[in-house]
Amino acid sequence: EARIDLVVTDYSMPGMDAREYFSRLKQALPSVPVIVLTGHSSVPIGIPSPGFMPFEVVNKPVEPKELCRIVKSALDALDATGRPSS
């Protein structure tokens, strides 16, 4: 069985609006941190789904080192909250 520790997604996706995607994600993986990549500098921090708060919203393009830093920070925050180790 696969375990999901982190989700990195784009804000804009074909076939599903962001509100629906984040609502489904929150139901399926309520404690998993989400990093949202966007090409829109004016994306609201609460994103369009009530109760959904991304770990971080990152404007594209993002440097690989910066994205790695953000991913590490998200995973470290999970470890600090008692995430089971694999």
Side-chain angles (χ1 to χ4, degrees), residues 23 41 52 72 75:
S23 175
S41 60
F52 176 80
K72 181 179 181 335
L75 294 175

Side-chain angles (χ1 to χ4, degrees), residues 4-34:
I4 298 172
D5 292 327
L6 175 74
V7 172
V8 179
T9 186
D10 200 296
Y11 180 76
S12 298
M13 296 163 276
M16 182 182 301
D17 71 14
R19 178 180 291 277
E20 181 180 354
Y21 177 74
F22 294 127
S23 175
R24 288 182 183 190
L25 188 60
K26 183 69 176 168
Q27 289 174 359
L29 303 167
S31 63
V32 171
V34 179

Side-chain angles (χ1 to χ4, degrees), residues 2 9 11 18 30 35 42 44-45 47 51 58-59 64 72 78:
T9 186
Y11 180 76
I35 297 168
S42 62
I45 205 65
I47 308 290
V58 181
N59 286 320
K72 181 179 181 335
L78 268 182

Side-chain angles (χ1 to χ4, degrees), residues 59-77:
N59 286 320
K60 297 186 288 185
V62 59
E63 293 292 324
K65 284 184 180 181
E66 178 64 6
L67 184 57
C68 286
R69 182 198 63 76
I70 295 166
V71 166
K72 181 179 181 335
S73 179
L75 294 175
D76 287 348

